[in-house]
Amino acid sequence: MARITMRQALTDALREEMHRDERVFIMGEEVGVWGGTYAVTRGFYDEFGPRRVRDTPISEMVIGGAAVGAAMAGLRPIAEFMTINFAFVAFDAIVNHAAKMHYMFGGQMRVPLVLRAPGGGGRQLGATHSHTPDVIFAHFPGLKVVSPSTPYDAKGLLRAAIRTDDPVLFIEHATLYQVRGEVPEGDYVVPIGVSDVKREGSDVTIVAYAQGLQVALEAAEKLAKEGIEAEVVDLRTLRPLDMAPVLKSFQKTFKAVIVEEGHRSYGIGAEIAARIQEEGFDYMDAPIKRVAQEEAPLPYSRELEQSALINVDKVIAAVKEIV
Amino acid sequence: MDKATILDWYRQMTLIRRFEQRSSELYQLGKIGGFLHLYIGQEAVAVGSINAKQETDHVITAYRDHGHALTIGSDTKLIMAEMLGKATGVSKGKGGSMHLADVERRFWGGHAVVGAHLSLATGLALAEQYNGTDAAVLCYFGDGATNIGYFHESLNLSGVWDLPVLWICENNQYGMGTAVDRHSATSNIMQKASGYNIPAAQVDGMDVFAVHEATQKALSAIRDGKGPQFLEIMTYRFEGHSMGDPLRYRTKEEVEKWREDDPIGILERHILKEKIAGKDELDAIDTAVETELNAAVEFAEASPLPAPEELFTDIYVEN
């Protein structure tokens, strides 16, 4: 099996889906001639032409809204926001339109749409370019929110996102593009809304996704050297949320640490912790711990920025508090 | 223009007028909830323009959408049922007055965030261009919508990509309660289209024939490959922005002056003066409209409420 980067996995999924289905097309800022600001669509403009690889002006509102409209009319758009920070400008198009059209008109309309957006901090881009706002978008029924942690999942989930008849926000953590992993040849799909156990263990359950999953796995390896076996569950999809593997793991370990890159308050960790106590209260042996971004905007200066973000040491410390 | 067509336009405009009056009554009785935005005074815009489109053309509008839904030919019963929040409504009672749609007839709503649907219209037009058809999109919005980012981004993109979309500004002189000269740096709304290199024309929105002719011309230009077009249709809503509008922002004299130009009155006088039909024929149409509305209200009232489980249906296509 080939070991490829997540960038390559995403590129392959997009290319293969465009060959498979003529209705699939890409639109966004610098997706064409430039080749994508994160080079995910490099070469697509020459391969598919300007009809199917469409450079847009810097106009996030209409990028989001026009993609919804094109999807309503039967196309399968993949609209790219240069970063998820700019998706805030298209917030109305995403939550009021993409997420509501099917329901609000009694099922008459369908929005088979993928909104791709790189996100995450840690790259010294300052406060407005470093958000991990995944939970905000995951708040709204009607939208599916996906964020993969490995090249295998990235390719399979992107295929699923393109093929579903529902709108999907596909969040790619920008620090994961270079992560390598095994990806098989051929047409496989990773279903949306299915969490996945990425590492088995019996002492503590670590729940994570995206870049946090990579941090959690590294922490788990270090903990193993100290005799603590962590089970790591990858959410992969934030909405619809699949709690079954989390609860199953918790019933075995009785302890949980939730790792997310977003801010702690009102976050993924808050939701998972609430769900565990609601549905797994009898198994609870210790407080549920959260490792998340500090409650401050992300600063530019490297060390200061890193101090606000999640890391392996913070995860290890949280585990040791309860194990 | 043949007699049957003209009388049908009269029927459509009368149907809208009476539908709105009945809705107003039902609202006051508490049978219609939420917001209710009446189209009274603007009937010639929807009727003149929608009757100029071809079957494959798309229509999309803002929340003042009853007139468009009726003109597109949606069943009056199903529209009224939606107003009453019933399971039989066009949107199964989940959309309400502001969210009427009829996708089979390519009517895409009914949208309540001012200006947002201009971006949806851009996408609908993109799909037609992508598929190489000759269909166009008729996108309606008010003068107030011309100040929001969606308007500018959508007009610009339609120009950049030469999309088959007809932008139709129903200039009813007020964005809610704020007059054009208080909300727009230029009171000449069509001037905004020229910034995006989109040909624009101003039309008397009280004259259904003028609206029809201008729309036909603009749609021909689109189908001739001339890209997006823009119409500023001058009109007026005789009632408030929505029910419960205190109407502090305009004078009685101003409203009375516009009411002299009632689009239905103008058409009626034209029909009688040109002897296209007699008063008895128009009365017969009025009676038929009344019968249709009685049946619609009766149907809506008798229809069931949405079942409790409907709360969770149609959130996703694939769960």
Side-chain angles (χ1 to χ4, degrees):
Chain A
M1 217 183 299
R3 278 183 68 78
I4 62 172
T5 60
M6 186 184 283
R7 175 183 286 113
Q8 189 64 49
L10 293 165
T11 300
D12 291 351
L14 290 174
R15 177 179 284 118
E16 288 163 21
E17 288 301 296
M18 285 183 75
H19 281 297
R20 187 187 61 79
D21 188 343
E22 168 74 17
R23 297 169 300 172
V24 177
F25 73 98
I26 293 171
M27 60 186 280
E29 294 158 10
E30 311 299 349
V31 297
V33 175
W34 187 293
T37 40
Y38 289 93
V40 174
T41 53
R42 185 175 290 164
F44 278 42
Y45 189 79
D46 292 334
E47 185 174 349
F48 296 102
R51 172 170 165 264
R52 298 186 69 195
V53 183
R54 308 181 74 99
D55 283 318
T56 65
I58 301 168
S59 301
E60 280 82 9
M61 294 172 85
V62 78
I63 291 170
V68 174
M72 282 156 49
L75 299 184
R76 305 187 82 85
I78 300 168
E80 180 177 322
F81 294 115
M82 190 179 286
T83 86
I84 199 160
N85 306 284
F86 306 156
F88 291 149
V89 180
F91 198 66
D92 174 70
I94 297 169
V95 308
N96 261 338
H97 295 86
K100 303 291 192 289
M101 289 299 108
H102 186 56
Y103 187 84
M104 196 165 63
F105 294 100
Q108 290 189 71
M109 300 177 194
R110 292 181 174 197
V111 185
L113 161 69
V114 180
L115 299 164
R116 287 184 49 235
R123 292 171 296 141
Q124 288 193 270
L125 298 178
T128 65
H129 268 51
S130 303
H131 286 288
T132 307
D134 313 356
V135 68
I136 296 173
F137 295 98
H139 184 66
F140 300 97
L143 194 65
K144 292 177 174 174
V145 180
V146 170
S147 192
S149 63
T150 68
Y152 176 90
D153 286 348
K155 186 169 184 184
L157 280 166
L158 186 50
R159 273 213 192 95
I162 293 167
R163 293 179 189 183
T164 183
D165 279 340
D166 294 307
V168 180
L169 177 64
F170 195 93
I171 304 170
E172 301 159 14
H173 199 288
T175 65
L176 295 180
Y177 283 124
Q178 299 288 17
V179 167
R180 284 180 183 273
E182 291 191 341
V183 175
E185 295 288 317
D187 187 349
Y188 72 93
V189 166
V190 172
I192 292 170
V194 180
S195 301
D196 182 43
V197 176
K198 285 285 195 293
R199 183 189 193 281
E200 292 191 2
S202 53
D203 296 324
V204 62
T205 301
I206 305 178
V207 182
Y209 73 99
Q211 187 255 3
L213 191 279
Q214 296 288 349
V215 172
L217 283 177
E218 205 182 322
E221 290 311 312
K222 288 193 171 175
L223 286 163
K225 287 181 185 137
E226 300 180 41
I228 299 170
E229 290 297 335
E231 182 145 301
V232 179
V233 183
D234 184 356
L235 296 175
R236 300 198 290 199
T237 301
L238 300 178
R239 183 180 280 272
L241 179 63
D242 175 22
M243 279 297 290
V246 175
L247 293 166
K248 193 176 165 205
S249 177
F250 189 73
Q251 287 168 10
K252 180 169 70 177
T253 65
F254 314 120
K255 301 175 196 76
V257 173
I258 303 139
V259 181
E260 64 179 309
E261 197 190 282
H263 292 294
R264 187 187 316 271
S265 298
Y266 313 103
I268 309 282
E271 174 65 20
I272 301 289
R275 295 280 291 269
I276 289 175
Q277 68 85 15
E278 283 167 354
E279 296 166 47
F281 184 74
D282 291 344
Y283 297 89
M284 204 179 290
D285 261 6
I288 295 165
K289 305 300 288 185
R290 289 181 285 166
V291 179
Q293 193 176 132
E294 298 299 337
E295 302 289 320
L298 282 183
Y300 160 74
S301 188
R302 182 173 163 74
E303 295 305 316
L304 201 58
E305 182 188 25
Q306 288 298 324
S307 76
L309 293 168
I310 58 169
N311 60 37
V312 173
D313 291 340
K314 289 182 184 179
V315 175
I316 290 172
V319 168
K320 285 184 174 175
E321 279 184 54
I322 54 172
V323 174
Chain B
M1 200 68 62
D2 61 79
K3 174 182 173 179
T5 303
I6 294 170
L7 289 187
D8 195 43
W9 291 0
Y10 174 83
R11 183 192 64 79
Q12 290 174 29
M13 288 167 66
T14 305
L15 177 64
I16 296 171
R17 175 70 54 95
R18 289 296 299 136
F19 181 95
E20 298 296 58
Q21 288 167 342
R22 290 296 285 269
S23 294
S24 173
E25 292 162 21
L26 289 164
Y27 190 87
Q28 279 153 4
L29 291 171
K31 292 186 176 177
I32 295 174
F35 293 137
L36 182 67
H37 308 87
L38 304 179
Y39 200 61
I40 293 174
Q42 299 181 216
E43 295 91 342
V45 182
V47 172
S49 56
I50 289 173
N51 282 289
K53 77 174 193 67
Q54 68 180 35
E55 200 177 335
T56 54
D57 289 343
H58 302 267
V59 170
I60 188 165
T61 187
Y63 46 81
R64 199 178 302 283
D65 60 347
H66 315 156
H68 306 80
L70 289 163
T71 310
I72 210 89
S74 298
D75 191 326
T76 310
K77 288 192 182 82
L78 307 188
I79 299 175
M80 190 56 90
E82 187 63 33
M83 309 287 288
L84 268 62
K86 297 299 182 75
T88 51
V90 288
S91 300
K92 295 188 187 168
K94 290 177 175 176
S97 155
M98 302 193 287
H99 303 113
L100 306 173
D102 189 341
V103 167
E104 261 181 47
R105 290 180 170 80
R106 296 198 156 193
F107 173 49
W108 297 93
H111 294 274
V113 178
V114 171
H117 69 285
L118 277 77
S119 69
L120 305 179
T122 305
L124 293 168
L126 168 59
E128 295 302 338
Q129 184 192 62
Y130 189 93
N131 291 328
T133 76
D134 71 344
V137 179
L138 286 73
C139 178
Y140 300 80
F141 49 90
D143 46 286
T146 67
N147 302 314
I148 197 167
Y150 272 124
F151 171 87
H152 297 277
E153 293 193 8
S154 298
L155 260 68
N156 183 57
L157 192 60
S158 74
V160 171
W161 286 352
D162 266 333
L163 297 176
V165 56
L166 174 54
W167 302 114
I168 301 175
C169 177
E170 301 192 47
N171 183 350
N172 66 11
Q173 321 299 323
Y174 292 90
M176 230 174 137
T178 308
V180 171
D181 63 356
R182 294 178 63 224
H183 74 58
S184 179
T186 172
S187 296
N188 184 12
I189 297 289
M190 63 182 265
Q191 193 183 10
K192 294 183 178 180
S194 69
Y196 303 106
N197 214 11
I198 296 174
Q202 205 174 59
V203 187
D204 176 1
M206 297 310 194
D207 178 350
V208 69
F209 298 105
V211 173
H212 185 260
E213 192 186 336
T215 309
Q216 265 188 333
K217 204 171 146 197
L219 287 172
S220 295
I222 290 169
R223 282 189 249 282
D224 286 346
K226 292 179 180 152
Q229 307 286 315
F230 190 101
L231 293 179
E232 181 188 7
I233 304 189
M234 309 308 282
T235 184
Y236 200 81
R237 57 172 161 71
F238 294 167
E239 305 295 328
H241 165 75
S242 59
M243 300 296 287
D245 177 346
L247 288 172
R248 282 192 202 101
Y249 49 85
R250 63 187 195 187
T251 61
K252 266 189 191 148
E253 292 72 28
E254 179 185 306
V255 179
E256 284 314 311
K257 192 174 161 294
W258 276 94
R259 277 187 183 275
E260 288 168 19
D261 287 333
D262 185 322
I264 297 176
I266 290 174
L267 180 59
E268 183 178 342
R269 288 196 293 275
H270 173 81
I271 289 168
L272 297 175
K273 185 169 162 242
E274 299 296 321
K275 302 198 189 318
I276 296 163
K279 187 82 177 88
D280 53 334
E281 283 175 275
L282 297 184
D283 288 347
I285 291 171
D286 292 350
T287 306
V289 162
E290 220 49 46
T291 307
E292 181 177 343
L293 282 171
N294 287 340
V297 173
E298 201 174 307
F299 171 83
E301 301 239 39
S303 287
L305 292 166
E309 58 269 23
E310 278 295 312
L311 182 62
F312 298 108
T313 62
D314 295 328
I315 298 173
Y316 295 103
V317 179
E318 300 163 21
N319 283 307

